[in-house]
Amino acid sequence: MNTNPLGAFKTLMISRLGAIGLGFALLILVGSGAAQESKPLDPAVVIGLVQSFYDQTKTLQAEFEQTRYTRLYDRYDRAQGKVVFKKPGMMRWDYAQPNGQVFVSNGKKLLIYQPPEEGEKRGQLIERAVDEDQLPSAFSFLLGSGSLEKDFEVRLLEHDNDKFKDGHVLQLIPRRPTPNYEQLVFYVRTLTQGGKRAGVVQRVLIIDSAGNRNRFDFSKIKFNRDVPDKRFSYRPPKGTETVTP
């Protein structure tokens, strides 16, 4: 077993999901009184609607399907599972088999459980600082630790709107470079309900400097349900090797 934490993490991600990159989609059920808006909006307005909507979201639970594209190997890998976010800074990703990985953050540190691969007897538990990983960095707007307007330069990708009817495709470039990703692309629908507009993110594509891409599609989303803090603590299976960078 590879005892180098970063090497083990990268090997796992390449072998099971591909190189780092990230993408994300949210599907939300809206009441019958909601109407979609198709009129083009200024990107700053769209970002403001998104920020306002998720500022009011304290918890989010969903099932997800993940698709990763690894440019080096020209390969797509897919996985699925369940995710839960809770402010401030907490999240948990439970991957279904055969992947079986678990990512848990209590807002201070990130635990990554890697189940044993074929021929191995023990899995690994890797501890990392939150700011060293792409997941909490990219989803800071859901974790209550980021401001889209302050953290990113935003522009509309009008040529992508043909593939995303009645919505807005926004490119977000971090104002402060991060090794975790190079850019985000938000696919946003603006909805009107009860006379108020909201910006709902249906997809976030995260692209790294190597051109790797990842996409998450979420379903069965539940907002602002009670989620106990103990959900964000994790005890790995007996015999798991703990690796600290």
Side-chain angles (χ1 to χ4, degrees):
M1 178 179 292
N2 188 346
T3 58
N4 182 305
L6 293 181
F9 181 69
K10 291 180 179 178
T11 298
L12 180 84
M13 296 309 289
I14 290 175
S15 63
R16 297 184 183 177
L17 290 178
I20 291 179
L22 184 61
F24 168 57
L26 286 180
L27 301 177
I28 183 173
L29 295 178
V30 181
S32 59
Q36 293 187 4
E37 298 179 356
S38 59
K39 182 179 179 180
L41 295 177
D42 182 272
V45 173
V46 180
I47 283 294
L49 293 174
V50 172
Q51 185 75 56
S52 177
F53 182 81
Y54 289 102
D55 279 347
Q56 300 175 58
T57 301
K58 305 303 180 183
T59 67
L60 184 154
Q61 302 173 75
E63 295 182 6
F64 69 86
E65 293 184 1
Q66 180 180 11
T67 303
R68 291 180 181 268
Y69 172 70
T70 308
R71 185 177 180 182
L72 179 62
Y73 303 105
D74 191 24
R75 185 182 70 193
Y76 289 90
D77 296 280
R78 294 172 174 83
Q80 59 185 1
K82 296 181 178 180
V83 65
V84 56
F85 296 94
K86 182 178 182 179
K87 296 177 180 177
M90 292 179 279
M91 68 176 189
R92 176 166 177 157
W93 301 76
D94 289 276
Y95 283 78
Q97 298 298 333
N99 184 287
Q101 291 183 100
V102 180
F103 290 73
V104 181
S105 173
N106 61 5
K108 298 178 180 179
K109 65 180 179 180
L110 178 69
L111 300 179
I112 305 169
Y113 171 67
Q114 302 175 348
E117 296 186 29
E118 185 176 354
E120 297 178 340
K121 296 182 179 180
R122 298 192 299 172
Q124 287 189 335
L125 183 69
I126 298 175
E127 296 185 12
R128 306 181 66 175
V130 171
D131 60 2
E132 292 179 354
D133 192 86
Q134 188 183 65
L135 288 177
S137 176
F139 290 104
S140 61
F141 78 105
L142 278 173
L143 297 171
S145 58
S147 169
L148 297 174
E149 294 177 287
K150 294 180 179 179
D151 296 342
F152 298 94
E153 296 181 5
V154 185
R155 71 183 183 93
L156 285 170
L157 297 181
E158 296 181 3
H159 61 281
D160 284 346
N161 282 341
D162 291 338
K163 303 176 183 178
F164 190 64
K165 298 295 184 181
D166 302 320
H168 309 277
V169 183
L170 301 176
Q171 180 187 49
L172 291 83
I173 305 295
R175 297 184 186 277
R176 298 179 61 183
T178 170
N180 296 322
Y181 56 85
E182 188 172 76
Q183 64 174 289
L184 307 178
V185 180
F186 278 14
Y187 293 73
V188 180
R189 294 203 186 279
T190 54
L191 307 173
T192 300
Q193 188 175 27
K196 295 183 179 181
R197 291 188 300 180
V200 180
V201 178
Q202 287 193 290
R203 178 176 299 160
V204 176
L205 175 65
I206 301 182
I207 306 170
D208 69 14
S209 60
N212 301 306
R213 297 167 178 249
N214 197 317
R215 192 180 96 187
F216 283 73
D217 293 289
F218 283 66
S219 61
K220 299 182 180 179
I221 294 179
K222 300 175 183 179
F223 291 96
N224 294 329
R225 301 293 181 86
D226 183 46
V227 180
D229 288 352
K230 65 181 181 180
R231 182 78 178 274
F232 304 96
S233 61
Y234 179 71
R235 179 176 296 179
K238 187 177 180 179
T240 298
E241 178 184 5
T242 299
V243 179
T244 303

PDB file of all heavy atoms in Angstrom, residues 59-91:
ATOM      1  N   THR A  59     -28.761  23.985   5.387  1.00  0.00           N
ATOM      2  CA  THR A  59     -28.332  22.611   5.112  1.00  0.00           C
ATOM      3  C   THR A  59     -28.843  22.199   3.742  1.00  0.00           C
ATOM      4  O   THR A  59     -29.850  22.727   3.244  1.00  0.00           O
ATOM      5  CB  THR A  59     -28.871  21.609   6.152  1.00  0.00           C
ATOM      6  OG1 THR A  59     -30.293  21.519   6.035  1.00  0.00           O
ATOM      7  CG2 THR A  59     -28.481  22.026   7.568  1.00  0.00           C
ATOM      8  N   LEU A  60     -28.144  21.257   3.134  1.00  0.00           N
ATOM      9  CA  LEU A  60     -28.550  20.717   1.843  1.00  0.00           C
ATOM     10  C   LEU A  60     -28.169  19.247   1.816  1.00  0.00           C
ATOM     11  O   LEU A  60     -27.040  18.886   2.126  1.00  0.00           O
ATOM     12  CB  LEU A  60     -27.868  21.472   0.698  1.00  0.00           C
ATOM     13  CG  LEU A  60     -28.257  21.095  -0.733  1.00  0.00           C
ATOM     14  CD1 LEU A  60     -28.039  22.286  -1.660  1.00  0.00           C
ATOM     15  CD2 LEU A  60     -27.453  19.901  -1.253  1.00  0.00           C
ATOM     16  N   GLN A  61     -29.140  18.403   1.462  1.00  0.00           N
ATOM     17  CA  GLN A  61     -28.900  16.969   1.321  1.00  0.00           C
ATOM     18  C   GLN A  61     -29.347  16.546  -0.064  1.00  0.00           C
ATOM     19  O   GLN A  61     -30.355  17.032  -0.580  1.00  0.00           O
ATOM     20  CB  GLN A  61     -29.685  16.186   2.367  1.00  0.00           C
ATOM     21  CG  GLN A  61     -29.367  16.575   3.804  1.00  0.00           C
ATOM     22  CD  GLN A  61     -30.303  15.893   4.788  1.00  0.00           C
ATOM     23  OE1 GLN A  61     -30.180  14.700   5.055  1.00  0.00           O
ATOM     24  NE2 GLN A  61     -31.256  16.649   5.319  1.00  0.00           N
ATOM     25  N   ALA A  62     -28.602  15.628  -0.677  1.00  0.00           N
ATOM     26  CA  ALA A  62     -28.954  15.203  -2.026  1.00  0.00           C
ATOM     27  C   ALA A  62     -28.254  13.900  -2.385  1.00  0.00           C
ATOM     28  O   ALA A  62     -27.296  13.484  -1.740  1.00  0.00           O
ATOM     29  CB  ALA A  62     -28.577  16.280  -3.036  1.00  0.00           C
ATOM     30  N   GLU A  63     -28.772  13.268  -3.422  1.00  0.00           N
ATOM     31  CA  GLU A  63     -28.053  12.181  -4.075  1.00  0.00           C
ATOM     32  C   GLU A  63     -27.319  12.778  -5.265  1.00  0.00           C
ATOM     33  O   GLU A  63     -27.754  13.791  -5.817  1.00  0.00           O
ATOM     34  CB  GLU A  63     -29.027  11.098  -4.534  1.00  0.00           C
ATOM     35  CG  GLU A  63     -29.732  10.406  -3.377  1.00  0.00           C
ATOM     36  CD  GLU A  63     -30.669   9.307  -3.825  1.00  0.00           C
ATOM     37  OE1 GLU A  63     -30.680   8.996  -5.045  1.00  0.00           O
ATOM     38  OE2 GLU A  63     -31.380   8.754  -2.980  1.00  0.00           O
ATOM     39  N   PHE A  64     -26.188  12.189  -5.631  1.00  0.00           N
ATOM     40  CA  PHE A  64     -25.421  12.759  -6.734  1.00  0.00           C
ATOM     41  C   PHE A  64     -24.912  11.687  -7.679  1.00  0.00           C
ATOM     42  O   PHE A  64     -24.723  10.533  -7.304  1.00  0.00           O
ATOM     43  CB  PHE A  64     -24.234  13.591  -6.218  1.00  0.00           C
ATOM     44  CG  PHE A  64     -23.135  12.781  -5.576  1.00  0.00           C
ATOM     45  CD1 PHE A  64     -22.119  12.208  -6.337  1.00  0.00           C
ATOM     46  CD2 PHE A  64     -23.098  12.610  -4.200  1.00  0.00           C
ATOM     47  CE1 PHE A  64     -21.096  11.472  -5.750  1.00  0.00           C
ATOM     48  CE2 PHE A  64     -22.095  11.882  -3.591  1.00  0.00           C
ATOM     49  CZ  PHE A  64     -21.084  11.309  -4.371  1.00  0.00           C
ATOM     50  N   GLU A  65     -24.716  12.113  -8.914  1.00  0.00           N
ATOM     51  CA  GLU A  65     -24.006  11.324  -9.920  1.00  0.00           C
ATOM     52  C   GLU A  65     -22.834  12.170 -10.382  1.00  0.00           C
ATOM     53  O   GLU A  65     -23.000  13.349 -10.689  1.00  0.00           O
ATOM     54  CB  GLU A  65     -24.908  10.963 -11.095  1.00  0.00           C
ATOM     55  CG  GLU A  65     -26.026  10.006 -10.726  1.00  0.00           C
ATOM     56  CD  GLU A  65     -26.841   9.582 -11.933  1.00  0.00           C
ATOM     57  OE1 GLU A  65     -26.515  10.033 -13.055  1.00  0.00           O
ATOM     58  OE2 GLU A  65     -27.797   8.805 -11.746  1.00  0.00           O
ATOM     59  N   GLN A  66     -21.673  11.596 -10.417  1.00  0.00           N
ATOM     60  CA  GLN A  66     -20.457  12.333 -10.733  1.00  0.00           C
ATOM     61  C   GLN A  66     -19.828  11.780 -12.008  1.00  0.00           C
ATOM     62  O   GLN A  66     -19.709  10.572 -12.182  1.00  0.00           O
ATOM     63  CB  GLN A  66     -19.465  12.213  -9.581  1.00  0.00           C
ATOM     64  CG  GLN A  66     -18.157  12.955  -9.802  1.00  0.00           C
ATOM     65  CD  GLN A  66     -17.205  12.804  -8.623  1.00  0.00           C
ATOM     66  OE1 GLN A  66     -17.455  11.989  -7.737  1.00  0.00           O
ATOM     67  NE2 GLN A  66     -16.146  13.562  -8.617  1.00  0.00           N
ATOM     68  N   THR A  67     -19.448  12.677 -12.886  1.00  0.00           N
ATOM     69  CA  THR A  67     -18.760  12.304 -14.118  1.00  0.00           C
ATOM     70  C   THR A  67     -17.454  13.078 -14.198  1.00  0.00           C
ATOM     71  O   THR A  67     -17.471  14.310 -14.171  1.00  0.00           O
ATOM     72  CB  THR A  67     -19.611  12.627 -15.365  1.00  0.00           C
ATOM     73  OG1 THR A  67     -20.860  11.964 -15.267  1.00  0.00           O
ATOM     74  CG2 THR A  67     -18.894  12.181 -16.630  1.00  0.00           C
ATOM     75  N   ARG A  68     -16.351  12.370 -14.289  1.00  0.00           N
ATOM     76  CA  ARG A  68     -15.034  13.004 -14.389  1.00  0.00           C
ATOM     77  C   ARG A  68     -14.429  12.721 -15.755  1.00  0.00           C
ATOM     78  O   ARG A  68     -14.512  11.612 -16.260  1.00  0.00           O
ATOM     79  CB  ARG A  68     -14.076  12.461 -13.321  1.00  0.00           C
ATOM     80  CG  ARG A  68     -14.401  12.850 -11.907  1.00  0.00           C
ATOM     81  CD  ARG A  68     -13.372  12.245 -10.958  1.00  0.00           C
ATOM     82  NE  ARG A  68     -13.663  12.565  -9.570  1.00  0.00           N
ATOM     83  CZ  ARG A  68     -13.175  13.617  -8.928  1.00  0.00           C
ATOM     84  NH1 ARG A  68     -12.369  14.447  -9.556  1.00  0.00           N
ATOM     85  NH2 ARG A  68     -13.490  13.842  -7.667  1.00  0.00           N
ATOM     86  N   TYR A  69     -13.832  13.773 -16.318  1.00  0.00           N
ATOM     87  CA  TYR A  69     -13.084  13.608 -17.561  1.00  0.00           C
ATOM     88  C   TYR A  69     -11.614  13.861 -17.272  1.00  0.00           C
ATOM     89  O   TYR A  69     -11.243  14.925 -16.774  1.00  0.00           O
ATOM     90  CB  TYR A  69     -13.572  14.587 -18.630  1.00  0.00           C
ATOM     91  CG  TYR A  69     -12.684  14.581 -19.865  1.00  0.00           C
ATOM     92  CD1 TYR A  69     -12.658  13.483 -20.719  1.00  0.00           C
ATOM     93  CD2 TYR A  69     -11.857  15.667 -20.149  1.00  0.00           C
ATOM     94  CE1 TYR A  69     -11.837  13.468 -21.836  1.00  0.00           C
ATOM     95  CE2 TYR A  69     -11.034  15.667 -21.269  1.00  0.00           C
ATOM     96  CZ  TYR A  69     -11.031  14.563 -22.108  1.00  0.00           C
ATOM     97  OH  TYR A  69     -10.208  14.546 -23.203  1.00  0.00           O
ATOM     98  N   THR A  70     -10.774  12.856 -17.572  1.00  0.00           N
ATOM     99  CA  THR A  70      -9.332  12.963 -17.388  1.00  0.00           C
ATOM    100  C   THR A  70      -8.691  13.213 -18.748  1.00  0.00           C
ATOM    101  O   THR A  70      -8.706  12.338 -19.623  1.00  0.00           O
ATOM    102  CB  THR A  70      -8.750  11.674 -16.780  1.00  0.00           C
ATOM    103  OG1 THR A  70      -9.494  11.336 -15.614  1.00  0.00           O
ATOM    104  CG2 THR A  70      -7.284  11.866 -16.410  1.00  0.00           C
ATOM    105  N   ARG A  71      -8.160  14.396 -18.925  1.00  0.00           N
ATOM    106  CA  ARG A  71      -7.645  14.777 -20.233  1.00  0.00           C
ATOM    107  C   ARG A  71      -6.453  13.924 -20.656  1.00  0.00           C
ATOM    108  O   ARG A  71      -6.330  13.542 -21.826  1.00  0.00           O
ATOM    109  CB  ARG A  71      -7.241  16.256 -20.208  1.00  0.00           C
ATOM    110  CG  ARG A  71      -6.792  16.786 -21.562  1.00  0.00           C
ATOM    111  CD  ARG A  71      -6.479  18.264 -21.497  1.00  0.00           C
ATOM    112  NE  ARG A  71      -6.056  18.778 -22.794  1.00  0.00           N
ATOM    113  CZ  ARG A  71      -5.686  20.026 -22.994  1.00  0.00           C
ATOM    114  NH1 ARG A  71      -5.693  20.895 -21.991  1.00  0.00           N
ATOM    115  NH2 ARG A  71      -5.321  20.411 -24.207  1.00  0.00           N
ATOM    116  N   LEU A  72      -5.564  13.614 -19.719  1.00  0.00           N
ATOM    117  CA  LEU A  72      -4.356  12.866 -20.058  1.00  0.00           C
ATOM    118  C   LEU A  72      -4.680  11.527 -20.711  1.00  0.00           C
ATOM    119  O   LEU A  72      -4.027  11.109 -21.665  1.00  0.00           O
ATOM    120  CB  LEU A  72      -3.517  12.640 -18.798  1.00  0.00           C
ATOM    121  CG  LEU A  72      -2.216  11.833 -18.973  1.00  0.00           C
ATOM    122  CD1 LEU A  72      -1.266  12.555 -19.916  1.00  0.00           C
ATOM    123  CD2 LEU A  72      -1.562  11.592 -17.621  1.00  0.00           C
ATOM    124  N   TYR A  73      -5.716  10.868 -20.198  1.00  0.00           N
ATOM    125  CA  TYR A  73      -6.087   9.551 -20.719  1.00  0.00           C
ATOM    126  C   TYR A  73      -7.309   9.596 -21.630  1.00  0.00           C
ATOM    127  O   TYR A  73      -7.743   8.555 -22.129  1.00  0.00           O
ATOM    128  CB  TYR A  73      -6.365   8.596 -19.549  1.00  0.00           C
ATOM    129  CG  TYR A  73      -5.207   8.458 -18.603  1.00  0.00           C
ATOM    130  CD1 TYR A  73      -5.221   9.073 -17.357  1.00  0.00           C
ATOM    131  CD2 TYR A  73      -4.070   7.729 -18.962  1.00  0.00           C
ATOM    132  CE1 TYR A  73      -4.149   8.956 -16.486  1.00  0.00           C
ATOM    133  CE2 TYR A  73      -2.992   7.605 -18.095  1.00  0.00           C
ATOM    134  CZ  TYR A  73      -3.036   8.229 -16.864  1.00  0.00           C
ATOM    135  OH  TYR A  73      -1.976   8.118 -15.997  1.00  0.00           O
ATOM    136  N   ASP A  74      -7.856  10.809 -21.822  1.00  0.00           N
ATOM    137  CA  ASP A  74      -9.063  10.973 -22.614  1.00  0.00           C
ATOM    138  C   ASP A  74     -10.130   9.971 -22.156  1.00  0.00           C
ATOM    139  O   ASP A  74     -10.696   9.227 -22.939  1.00  0.00           O
ATOM    140  CB  ASP A  74      -8.766  10.780 -24.111  1.00  0.00           C
ATOM    141  CG  ASP A  74      -9.937  11.202 -24.991  1.00  0.00           C
ATOM    142  OD1 ASP A  74     -10.750  12.035 -24.540  1.00  0.00           O
ATOM    143  OD2 ASP A  74     -10.043  10.680 -26.127  1.00  0.00           O
ATOM    144  N   ARG A  75     -10.406  10.008 -20.853  1.00  0.00           N
ATOM    145  CA  ARG A  75     -11.261   8.998 -20.250  1.00  0.00           C
ATOM    146  C   ARG A  75     -12.319   9.630 -19.353  1.00  0.00           C
ATOM    147  O   ARG A  75     -12.057  10.607 -18.661  1.00  0.00           O
ATOM    148  CB  ARG A  75     -10.404   8.039 -19.418  1.00  0.00           C
ATOM    149  CG  ARG A  75     -11.172   6.852 -18.836  1.00  0.00           C
ATOM    150  CD  ARG A  75     -10.259   5.989 -17.979  1.00  0.00           C
ATOM    151  NE  ARG A  75      -9.883   6.652 -16.745  1.00  0.00           N
ATOM    152  CZ  ARG A  75      -8.907   6.232 -15.942  1.00  0.00           C
ATOM    153  NH1 ARG A  75      -8.179   5.184 -16.279  1.00  0.00           N
ATOM    154  NH2 ARG A  75      -8.642   6.876 -14.819  1.00  0.00           N
ATOM    155  N   TYR A  76     -13.498   9.015 -19.372  1.00  0.00           N
ATOM    156  CA  TYR A  76     -14.581   9.424 -18.477  1.00  0.00           C
ATOM    157  C   TYR A  76     -14.780   8.345 -17.415  1.00  0.00           C
ATOM    158  O   TYR A  76     -14.765   7.150 -17.719  1.00  0.00           O
ATOM    159  CB  TYR A  76     -15.884   9.609 -19.259  1.00  0.00           C
ATOM    160  CG  TYR A  76     -15.893  10.826 -20.151  1.00  0.00           C
ATOM    161  CD1 TYR A  76     -15.448  10.751 -21.465  1.00  0.00           C
ATOM    162  CD2 TYR A  76     -16.360  12.060 -19.686  1.00  0.00           C
ATOM    163  CE1 TYR A  76     -15.456  11.871 -22.286  1.00  0.00           C
ATOM    164  CE2 TYR A  76     -16.382  13.172 -20.500  1.00  0.00           C
ATOM    165  CZ  TYR A  76     -15.916  13.075 -21.801  1.00  0.00           C
ATOM    166  OH  TYR A  76     -15.928  14.179 -22.612  1.00  0.00           O
ATOM    167  N   ASP A  77     -14.943   8.777 -16.179  1.00  0.00           N
ATOM    168  CA  ASP A  77     -15.240   7.866 -15.079  1.00  0.00           C
ATOM    169  C   ASP A  77     -16.453   8.393 -14.332  1.00  0.00           C
ATOM    170  O   ASP A  77     -16.632   9.602 -14.198  1.00  0.00           O
ATOM    171  CB  ASP A  77     -14.044   7.757 -14.129  1.00  0.00           C
ATOM    172  CG  ASP A  77     -12.826   7.153 -14.793  1.00  0.00           C
ATOM    173  OD1 ASP A  77     -12.787   5.917 -14.921  1.00  0.00           O
ATOM    174  OD2 ASP A  77     -11.929   7.919 -15.192  1.00  0.00           O
ATOM    175  N   ARG A  78     -17.253   7.478 -13.838  1.00  0.00           N
ATOM    176  CA  ARG A  78     -18.495   7.873 -13.190  1.00  0.00           C
ATOM    177  C   ARG A  78     -18.643   7.232 -11.817  1.00  0.00           C
ATOM    178  O   ARG A  78     -18.150   6.129 -11.580  1.00  0.00           O
ATOM    179  CB  ARG A  78     -19.690   7.514 -14.081  1.00  0.00           C
ATOM    180  CG  ARG A  78     -19.707   8.329 -15.367  1.00  0.00           C
ATOM    181  CD  ARG A  78     -20.782   7.853 -16.338  1.00  0.00           C
ATOM    182  NE  ARG A  78     -20.871   8.737 -17.499  1.00  0.00           N
ATOM    183  CZ  ARG A  78     -20.078   8.657 -18.548  1.00  0.00           C
ATOM    184  NH1 ARG A  78     -19.127   7.734 -18.595  1.00  0.00           N
ATOM    185  NH2 ARG A  78     -20.207   9.504 -19.556  1.00  0.00           N
ATOM    186  N   ALA A  79     -19.313   7.937 -10.930  1.00  0.00           N
ATOM    187  CA  ALA A  79     -19.583   7.441  -9.584  1.00  0.00           C
ATOM    188  C   ALA A  79     -20.872   8.080  -9.098  1.00  0.00           C
ATOM    189  O   ALA A  79     -21.391   9.020  -9.706  1.00  0.00           O
ATOM    190  CB  ALA A  79     -18.427   7.772  -8.643  1.00  0.00           C
ATOM    191  N   GLN A  80     -21.399   7.582  -8.000  1.00  0.00           N
ATOM    192  CA  GLN A  80     -22.616   8.143  -7.433  1.00  0.00           C
ATOM    193  C   GLN A  80     -22.603   7.951  -5.925  1.00  0.00           C
ATOM    194  O   GLN A  80     -21.783   7.220  -5.381  1.00  0.00           O
ATOM    195  CB  GLN A  80     -23.852   7.484  -8.040  1.00  0.00           C
ATOM    196  CG  GLN A  80     -23.920   5.982  -7.830  1.00  0.00           C
ATOM    197  CD  GLN A  80     -25.114   5.371  -8.554  1.00  0.00           C
ATOM    198  OE1 GLN A  80     -25.880   6.059  -9.224  1.00  0.00           O
ATOM    199  NE2 GLN A  80     -25.277   4.069  -8.408  1.00  0.00           N
ATOM    200  N   GLY A  81     -23.508   8.649  -5.264  1.00  0.00           N
ATOM    201  CA  GLY A  81     -23.560   8.547  -3.814  1.00  0.00           C
ATOM    202  C   GLY A  81     -24.493   9.581  -3.228  1.00  0.00           C
ATOM    203  O   GLY A  81     -25.420  10.065  -3.893  1.00  0.00           O
ATOM    204  N   LYS A  82     -24.236   9.935  -1.958  1.00  0.00           N
ATOM    205  CA  LYS A  82     -25.051  10.911  -1.241  1.00  0.00           C
ATOM    206  C   LYS A  82     -24.145  11.974  -0.638  1.00  0.00           C
ATOM    207  O   LYS A  82     -23.006  11.694  -0.256  1.00  0.00           O
ATOM    208  CB  LYS A  82     -25.863  10.237  -0.140  1.00  0.00           C
ATOM    209  CG  LYS A  82     -26.880   9.232  -0.667  1.00  0.00           C
ATOM    210  CD  LYS A  82     -27.687   8.616   0.464  1.00  0.00           C
ATOM    211  CE  LYS A  82     -28.723   7.646  -0.075  1.00  0.00           C
ATOM    212  NZ  LYS A  82     -29.530   7.043   1.026  1.00  0.00           N
ATOM    213  N   VAL A  83     -24.673  13.202  -0.546  1.00  0.00           N
ATOM    214  CA  VAL A  83     -23.900  14.312  -0.006  1.00  0.00           C
ATOM    215  C   VAL A  83     -24.771  15.138   0.928  1.00  0.00           C
ATOM    216  O   VAL A  83     -26.000  15.197   0.758  1.00  0.00           O
ATOM    217  CB  VAL A  83     -23.337  15.211  -1.133  1.00  0.00           C
ATOM    218  CG1 VAL A  83     -24.464  15.896  -1.901  1.00  0.00           C
ATOM    219  CG2 VAL A  83     -22.362  16.244  -0.589  1.00  0.00           C
ATOM    220  N   VAL A  84     -24.142  15.737   1.919  1.00  0.00           N
ATOM    221  CA  VAL A  84     -24.847  16.654   2.815  1.00  0.00           C
ATOM    222  C   VAL A  84     -23.911  17.803   3.161  1.00  0.00           C
ATOM    223  O   VAL A  84     -22.722  17.598   3.397  1.00  0.00           O
ATOM    224  CB  VAL A  84     -25.339  15.935   4.097  1.00  0.00           C
ATOM    225  CG1 VAL A  84     -24.193  15.264   4.828  1.00  0.00           C
ATOM    226  CG2 VAL A  84     -26.079  16.906   5.008  1.00  0.00           C
ATOM    227  N   PHE A  85     -24.438  19.018   3.122  1.00  0.00           N
ATOM    228  CA  PHE A  85     -23.711  20.224   3.508  1.00  0.00           C
ATOM    229  C   PHE A  85     -24.408  20.848   4.704  1.00  0.00           C
ATOM    230  O   PHE A  85     -25.643  20.832   4.795  1.00  0.00           O
ATOM    231  CB  PHE A  85     -23.702  21.266   2.378  1.00  0.00           C
ATOM    232  CG  PHE A  85     -22.980  20.838   1.142  1.00  0.00           C
ATOM    233  CD1 PHE A  85     -23.666  20.240   0.091  1.00  0.00           C
ATOM    234  CD2 PHE A  85     -21.615  21.055   1.002  1.00  0.00           C
ATOM    235  CE1 PHE A  85     -23.009  19.861  -1.059  1.00  0.00           C
ATOM    236  CE2 PHE A  85     -20.948  20.679  -0.148  1.00  0.00           C
ATOM    237  CZ  PHE A  85     -21.645  20.079  -1.181  1.00  0.00           C
ATOM    238  N   LYS A  86     -23.635  21.430   5.602  1.00  0.00           N
ATOM    239  CA  LYS A  86     -24.197  22.180   6.712  1.00  0.00           C
ATOM    240  C   LYS A  86     -23.264  23.322   7.067  1.00  0.00           C
ATOM    241  O   LYS A  86     -22.049  23.131   7.193  1.00  0.00           O
ATOM    242  CB  LYS A  86     -24.397  21.288   7.943  1.00  0.00           C
ATOM    243  CG  LYS A  86     -25.047  22.025   9.125  1.00  0.00           C
ATOM    244  CD  LYS A  86     -25.282  21.107  10.319  1.00  0.00           C
ATOM    245  CE  LYS A  86     -25.958  21.844  11.456  1.00  0.00           C
ATOM    246  NZ  LYS A  86     -26.225  20.964  12.624  1.00  0.00           N
ATOM    247  N   LYS A  87     -23.830  24.500   7.196  1.00  0.00           N
ATOM    248  CA  LYS A  87     -23.030  25.656   7.586  1.00  0.00           C
ATOM    249  C   LYS A  87     -22.826  25.661   9.095  1.00  0.00           C
ATOM    250  O   LYS A  87     -23.701  25.238   9.848  1.00  0.00           O
ATOM    251  CB  LYS A  87     -23.729  26.947   7.149  1.00  0.00           C
ATOM    252  CG  LYS A  87     -23.871  27.092   5.652  1.00  0.00           C
ATOM    253  CD  LYS A  87     -24.633  28.351   5.308  1.00  0.00           C
ATOM    254  CE  LYS A  87     -24.786  28.499   3.805  1.00  0.00           C
ATOM    255  NZ  LYS A  87     -25.575  29.679   3.429  1.00  0.00           N
ATOM    256  N   PRO A  88     -21.647  26.129   9.551  1.00  0.00           N
ATOM    257  CA  PRO A  88     -20.549  26.638   8.728  1.00  0.00           C
ATOM    258  C   PRO A  88     -19.498  25.560   8.430  1.00  0.00           C
ATOM    259  O   PRO A  88     -18.982  24.900   9.328  1.00  0.00           O
ATOM    260  CB  PRO A  88     -19.934  27.716   9.624  1.00  0.00           C
ATOM    261  CG  PRO A  88     -20.151  27.203  11.018  1.00  0.00           C
ATOM    262  CD  PRO A  88     -21.445  26.418  10.977  1.00  0.00           C
ATOM    263  N   GLY A  89     -19.211  25.351   7.154  1.00  0.00           N
ATOM    264  CA  GLY A  89     -18.053  24.590   6.724  1.00  0.00           C
ATOM    265  C   GLY A  89     -18.112  23.086   6.767  1.00  0.00           C
ATOM    266  O   GLY A  89     -17.109  22.429   6.520  1.00  0.00           O
ATOM    267  N   MET A  90     -19.270  22.499   7.055  1.00  0.00           N
ATOM    268  CA  MET A  90     -19.329  21.050   7.186  1.00  0.00           C
ATOM    269  C   MET A  90     -19.913  20.390   5.937  1.00  0.00           C
ATOM    270  O   MET A  90     -20.822  20.912   5.310  1.00  0.00           O
ATOM    271  CB  MET A  90     -20.166  20.671   8.417  1.00  0.00           C
ATOM    272  CG  MET A  90     -19.519  21.059   9.725  1.00  0.00           C
ATOM    273  SD  MET A  90     -20.527  20.641  11.181  1.00  0.00           S
ATOM    274  CE  MET A  90     -21.673  22.028  11.182  1.00  0.00           C
ATOM    275  N   MET A  91     -19.361  19.233   5.603  1.00  0.00           N
ATOM    276  CA  MET A  91     -19.874  18.485   4.460  1.00  0.00           C
ATOM    277  C   MET A  91     -19.482  17.024   4.587  1.00  0.00           C
ATOM    278  O   MET A  91     -18.541  16.668   5.301  1.00  0.00           O
ATOM    279  CB  MET A  91     -19.337  19.048   3.145  1.00  0.00           C
ATOM    280  CG  MET A  91     -17.861  18.834   2.946  1.00  0.00           C
ATOM    281  SD  MET A  91     -17.298  19.404   1.323  1.00  0.00           S
ATOM    282  CE  MET A  91     -15.632  18.765   1.338  1.00  0.00           C
TER     283      MET A  91
END
